[in-house]
Amino acid sequence: MDFKTVKEMLKRILLVTFTAAVIACHASPQPQPMVSGVSNILPDEKQALVCREIVKLIETYNYKKIKVNDSISSVVLDRYIKDLDPSKYYFTATDIKEFEKFRYELDNQFRNGDLSAPFYIFNVYLKRYNDYLNYALVQSKTKFDFSQNDTYVFDREKMPWTASETALNEIWKKRVKYELLNLKIAGTTEAKNIETITKRYDNLKSQSGKINNQDVFQMVMNSFTEAIDPHTNYFNPVNAQQFDEEMARSFEGIGARLQLENEILKIAEIIPGGPAFKGKQLSAGDRIIGVAQGAGEFEDIVGWRIENSVSKIKGPKGTKVRLKIIPVGQEMSAKPVIIELVRERIVMEDQSAQKKVRTISSNGKPYKIGIITVPGFYADFKAAKAGDPNYKSTTRDVKLLIDTLKKLDKVDAIVMDLRGNGGGSLLEAIDLTGLFIDKGPVVQVKNLKNEVEVSDDANAGVAWSGPFGVMIDRLSASASEIFAGAVQDYGRGVIMGTQTYGKGTVQSSINMNDIVNPSILNKLAALVKGTQGKDDAATELGKINLTMAKFYRVNGSSTQHKGVVPDIEFPSLYPMDKIGEDTEISALPWDVVSKSNFTPVANLGTVTPELVKLHKERMAKSLDYKMLNEDLADLKKRDTEVSVSLNQTKLKAERDSLEAKALQRMNLLRASRGLPAVKKGDKITKAESFDFVEDESLQVIADFMRFTNPNTGLVKTQQSFHK
């Protein structure tokens, strides 16, 4: 699919169709009811405009070709209420009954940019939220009796809404009692426990006071777009920037990870290679209390929302930023230190493809196997468009790693670890596949017109032709499934793990500013900020990832719902009935298209049964496998529990029993690896941790190499591998 063409088409059509007037030609929004006792959050004209345009985009270009009607309105209302109060801690049955008047009105209101109903619902939620935080603070000082045999129901999702505030008070009283009991069992004093709970709820109150209309609008749009399909998503301007940075695996700033602690911005980590690292003036734990741009005045950022503080610290490379710092270990009353840094482009290497080499023994023979972990399919499209020859991308990173594994490490085989890889760029999935196959189709894409386009790897040659395997799990999705599916269809390698997520839909990322007439943006800026378009932030509308097509493997099967089924299966660490596309009510169905014209590299059907047989033989003797299945059975059993005892003696006995069992099992596994036993509270070093799925996957690849010609990387004939 030519996404550039799609984007230009949208820009031309939507610019004409979707930009009538900001205020005129639309029904006036309903007056929003005010909620007493809380600072009511109200939508603005920018959000009204975005809401209207999203309705039009969905109705015109979403793959489902769906009409936003009363049925959608009903789903949105239910989703929104559940998103706000999933455990039913805040709303009462009376609130829910009142919200029923909006059930079949949201579709018409959204079409007109009227957000008064969901914002009113949020303000009711905010009022209840703050009321119960205050109630919890009062209850935290209660002298609870922990010898009673009462219980706390912590999972209330399937329970009815409480009939009254009195009943909800009782639930909150038990919630606070449970929190205090947890702290008491941990061995801290009553005074310390009260202090901890007080700080916890005071902090939650402080954070709730920072919620703005962008936060609420994001929640409203999430409920709306996910009612259409799980992967049509709107991103407000702040989230859009984070999405772009995650896709690019880079950003421009000082090179530090930041976190908020007690209203103070703290440096959590210094990123190697960045300005903060090279300057050697900042350390993890330092607190930032002020920021100045270049030679400008300092702004006090204490108490700010973290994204607002971060936006002041980030900035274009080459620009200067000054920070007012309280060094780690010093009191907040200490004299601040002022440092100056020049911003640079920071590459997030720890979130990029990485390699390691392991040597394993199979049948008395050592094998050197390179493992490439790919956390996502990323690409810095902005840098690539600007002509940067060193732009960041998954394929470029993996190609360099393969070269190192071949020339320096001299590995016998390579395994690609795609566990937990939720996808990303389709183009990167195609290019990455091209490193392992010579030429040919990689994926098929069916568009809105039901036209099927085949995307090929057009580059001759491969980066790695030797034995190859891919590890997947339930969280491997989208681009990961395209890559793993192509490797499987071509017979290029062995797929190991569990059935993947099953996300077989294609999203196009549309910048909302690209489809709105600039004159409208200028008028909007004047409305929002009282300017004539001089403030760029005032006119940022965010972006939408719109589902516009479906993926199909070269064998014709959609990855939707079914995903990729591995050749060598492991028990799933994640509940298959709760995680996956087939658990999403609004997901598109599975279907097929015609098979592509492709030539498999090998027919692994001749060797896979042998690999499965050897795998099962090892599993029958494996302590890891036995314990993994027992752990999964225990997790499944605990997953059915919805309540917990508030009796100290009973709860402590249960906790002690679980901890003792876990420690015993840990030491059995350590003993099987020749490691010394550990005691309760001992820390396990990274070098001593083990990954059973990885260990066994490497054994499978060692088996595979017995059936593979080391010179060509091709599977030997069946006659030769039985000798």
Side-chain angles (χ1 to χ4, degrees):
M1 172 176 285
D2 187 344
F3 291 105
K4 185 177 179 182
T5 302
V6 171
K7 186 175 179 181
E8 289 303 315
M9 173 192 74
L10 283 171
K11 196 169 181 178
R12 289 196 304 273
I13 297 175
L14 302 181
L15 196 61
V16 175
T17 310
F18 290 170
T19 57
V22 176
I23 304 173
C25 304
H26 294 284
S28 299
Q30 295 293 318
Q32 182 174 319
M34 295 293 104
V35 178
S36 61
V38 68
S39 295
N40 283 258
I41 301 175
L42 306 175
D44 58 37
E45 276 295 335
K46 182 166 67 172
Q47 292 157 353
L49 172 64
V50 171
C51 185
R52 291 195 294 267
E53 303 312 306
I54 287 178
V55 171
K56 294 171 185 175
L57 279 169
I58 285 172
E59 292 190 329
T60 310
Y61 294 106
N62 186 271
Y63 188 84
K64 278 188 171 181
K65 303 180 180 70
I66 200 165
K67 184 77 173 175
V68 178
N69 54 20
D70 285 357
S71 177
I72 295 295
S73 175
S74 180
V75 174
V76 172
L77 180 66
D78 288 337
R79 275 183 173 270
Y80 184 52
I81 291 171
K82 185 174 181 179
D83 287 346
L84 289 175
D85 192 7
S87 298
K88 301 179 179 176
Y89 279 125
Y90 305 102
F91 292 136
T92 64
T94 303
D95 294 324
I96 301 303
K97 185 177 180 181
E98 185 203 359
F99 300 154
E100 278 297 312
K101 63 188 177 187
F102 303 124
R103 181 163 296 281
Y104 302 113
E105 298 298 324
L106 296 179
D107 54 326
N108 299 321
Q109 291 175 0
F110 285 2
R111 197 180 304 281
N112 291 321
D114 183 352
L115 295 159
S116 57
F119 270 71
Y120 166 69
I121 292 173
F122 183 84
N123 288 330
V124 173
Y125 163 78
L126 193 59
K127 172 68 163 59
R128 302 283 187 270
Y129 182 83
N130 281 291
D131 285 348
Y132 280 104
L133 292 183
N134 289 329
Y135 183 78
L137 283 167
V138 173
Q139 291 302 312
S140 67
K141 298 170 180 61
T142 299
K143 295 284 186 181
F144 287 108
D145 181 357
F146 296 112
S147 64
Q148 295 177 326
N149 287 319
D150 51 343
T151 57
Y152 165 57
V153 179
F154 58 84
D155 185 352
R156 305 186 62 255
E157 184 178 346
K158 295 180 181 179
M159 298 184 71
W161 295 96
T162 51
S164 66
E165 290 185 17
T166 303
L168 210 46
N169 286 345
E170 189 60 29
I171 291 167
W172 270 89
K173 187 180 293 185
K174 288 190 174 184
R175 172 173 169 167
V176 173
K177 182 177 181 179
Y178 176 61
E179 291 178 334
L180 287 168
L181 179 55
N182 276 329
L183 295 171
K184 185 177 176 64
I185 288 176
T188 47
T189 65
E190 182 180 351
K192 182 64 177 176
N193 295 344
I194 293 173
E195 180 186 346
T196 300
I197 293 291
T198 300
K199 284 184 177 179
R200 181 182 299 172
Y201 284 105
D202 278 340
N203 185 55
L204 290 172
K205 281 182 64 179
S206 175
Q207 295 306 310
S208 74
K210 294 183 176 67
I211 295 173
N212 59 32
N213 68 352
Q214 281 284 63
D215 300 320
V216 181
F217 184 60
Q218 181 69 71
M219 285 186 272
V220 174
M221 288 298 100
N222 285 349
S223 300
F224 174 34
T225 58
E226 289 172 12
I228 306 301
D229 80 84
H231 308 292
T232 287
N233 303 114
Y234 168 75
F235 299 96
N236 67 28
V238 171
N239 292 334
Q241 181 183 355
Q242 292 175 350
F243 176 83
D244 290 341
E245 289 174 357
E246 183 177 336
M247 182 61 75
R249 291 301 195 271
S250 65
F251 63 93
E252 293 180 349
I254 66 169
R257 289 194 172 89
L258 307 170
Q259 66 184 46
L260 202 62
E261 187 176 278
N262 298 325
E263 303 292 294
I264 306 294
L265 193 68
K266 188 175 84 170
I267 295 176
E269 180 186 354
I270 303 293
I271 298 174
F277 179 83
K278 290 185 285 191
K280 299 181 180 179
Q281 295 173 283
L282 289 172
S283 302
D286 288 350
R287 285 129 318 154
I288 305 173
I289 62 171
V291 182
Q293 309 303 319
E297 295 291 325
F298 272 100
E299 293 183 85
D300 188 313
I301 63 168
V302 174
W304 282 24
R305 289 165 59 101
I306 188 168
E307 62 266 31
N308 293 342
S309 299
V310 168
S311 70
K312 294 290 183 181
I313 297 170
K314 283 182 179 178
K317 63 181 179 180
T319 59
K320 293 181 180 179
V321 62
R322 288 185 298 141
L323 306 176
K324 196 176 285 187
I325 302 294
I326 303 293
V328 60
Q330 294 190 17
E331 296 295 327
M332 286 301 296
S333 57
K335 183 179 179 180
V337 176
I338 295 175
I339 66 169
E340 181 180 285
L341 295 168
V342 178
R343 299 175 176 108
E344 295 177 12
R345 179 170 171 266
I346 311 299
V347 176
M348 295 182 281
E349 294 293 353
D350 63 333
Q351 297 179 35
S352 305
Q354 297 180 334
K355 77 169 181 72
K356 64 181 178 181
V357 178
R358 288 188 57 190
T359 300
I360 64 163
S361 178
S362 179
N363 284 342
K365 182 179 179 181
Y367 292 98
K368 211 174 184 182
I369 302 176
I371 302 170
I372 300 176
T373 301
V374 179
F377 287 80
Y378 50 87
D380 190 342
F381 296 116
K382 183 178 178 182
K385 188 177 180 181
D388 183 349
N390 298 312
Y391 74 90
K392 188 83 171 163
S393 84
T394 298
T395 305
R396 293 162 68 93
D397 287 351
V398 170
K399 174 65 166 61
L400 290 172
L401 296 176
I402 291 174
D403 289 345
T404 305
L405 289 169
K406 282 198 305 185
K407 297 172 184 176
L408 297 180
D409 299 311
K410 300 187 183 304
V411 298
D412 301 303
I414 289 178
V415 171
M416 186 82 73
D417 188 350
L418 297 181
R419 291 176 296 172
N421 184 322
S425 168
L426 170 62
L427 298 178
E428 283 302 310
I430 296 167
D431 290 345
L432 189 67
T433 305
L435 298 182
F436 300 93
I437 65 168
D438 187 8
K439 270 186 172 183
V442 174
V443 64
Q444 304 184 84
V445 180
K446 185 163 70 172
N447 65 20
L448 293 165
K449 297 179 181 179
N450 290 324
E451 298 167 337
V452 178
E453 183 175 332
V454 181
S455 295
D456 293 79
D457 163 43
N459 298 316
V462 297
W464 176 257
S465 59
F468 184 54
V470 181
M471 287 191 286
I472 55 175
D473 66 7
R474 189 60 165 174
L475 301 184
S476 304
S478 194
S480 291
E481 295 171 297
I482 294 303
F483 178 83
V487 169
Q488 191 175 58
D489 292 341
Y490 273 89
R492 179 59 192 87
V494 183
I495 311 299
M496 304 163 287
T498 55
Q499 183 181 8
T500 57
Y501 191 90
K503 179 189 175 294
T505 55
V506 187
Q507 285 70 45
S508 292
S509 185
I510 302 166
N511 189 326
M512 299 297 293
N513 287 66
D514 289 346
I515 63 172
V516 176
N517 192 301
S519 65
I520 298 295
L521 294 178
N522 288 336
K523 293 176 183 177
L524 183 64
L527 284 168
V528 176
K529 299 292 287 186
T531 70
Q532 288 301 321
K534 294 179 182 178
D535 186 346
D536 291 338
T539 61
E540 284 296 320
L541 304 179
K543 63 173 54 179
I544 184 171
N545 281 357
L546 188 66
T547 299
M548 300 180 70
K550 282 183 77 174
F551 289 132
Y552 296 84
R553 292 167 61 158
V554 291
N555 67 7
S557 173
S558 170
T559 55
Q560 181 69 2
H561 276 269
K562 295 191 177 182
V564 176
V565 177
D567 303 310
I568 309 295
E569 291 198 62
F570 288 81
S572 177
L573 300 176
Y574 306 98
M576 304 285 280
D577 59 339
K578 292 186 177 181
I579 297 175
E581 192 79 358
D582 53 1
T583 67
E584 297 283 354
I585 297 174
S586 60
L588 287 158
W590 176 86
D591 63 343
V592 297
V593 296
S594 298
K595 178 182 176 181
S596 292
N597 183 21
F598 73 102
T599 304
V601 174
N603 177 15
L604 296 191
T606 59
V607 69
T608 299
E610 293 291 327
L611 298 178
V612 171
K613 178 184 175 184
L614 292 169
H615 165 67
K616 287 184 175 179
E617 287 174 357
R618 278 191 300 273
M619 294 304 93
K621 304 172 186 175
S622 170
L623 180 63
D624 293 85
Y625 187 73
K626 177 186 176 184
M627 288 193 174
L628 175 60
N629 279 310
E630 288 176 358
D631 287 343
L632 292 174
D634 287 344
L635 283 172
K636 190 172 183 179
K637 180 182 177 183
R638 287 201 295 272
D639 193 48
T640 63
E641 298 171 356
V642 297
S643 63
V644 63
S645 173
L646 293 177
N647 180 286
Q648 180 179 349
T649 303
K650 185 176 180 181
L651 184 61
K652 188 176 186 305
E654 290 175 359
R655 297 273 172 84
D656 289 345
S657 175
L658 288 172
E659 286 181 8
K661 182 179 178 181
L663 184 63
Q664 180 190 33
R665 293 163 70 82
M666 169 68 74
N667 281 328
L668 284 172
L669 288 173
R670 288 177 65 84
S672 72
R673 288 172 166 79
L675 294 171
V678 293
K679 301 187 296 294
K680 181 179 178 180
D682 286 352
K683 288 187 177 181
I684 308 298
T685 65
K686 189 174 182 180
E688 291 181 330
S689 61
F690 36 86
D691 182 340
F692 161 66
V693 175
E694 180 183 290
D695 292 347
E696 172 57 19
S697 294
L698 298 188
Q699 290 295 331
V700 171
I701 294 301
D703 292 339
F704 184 49
M705 281 188 276
R706 290 164 50 197
F707 308 138
T708 305
N709 188 313
N711 298 316
T712 65
L714 297 178
V715 176
K716 299 173 185 177
T717 63
Q718 188 166 1
Q719 182 180 9
S720 65
F721 70 62
H722 277 307
K723 289 181 180 179

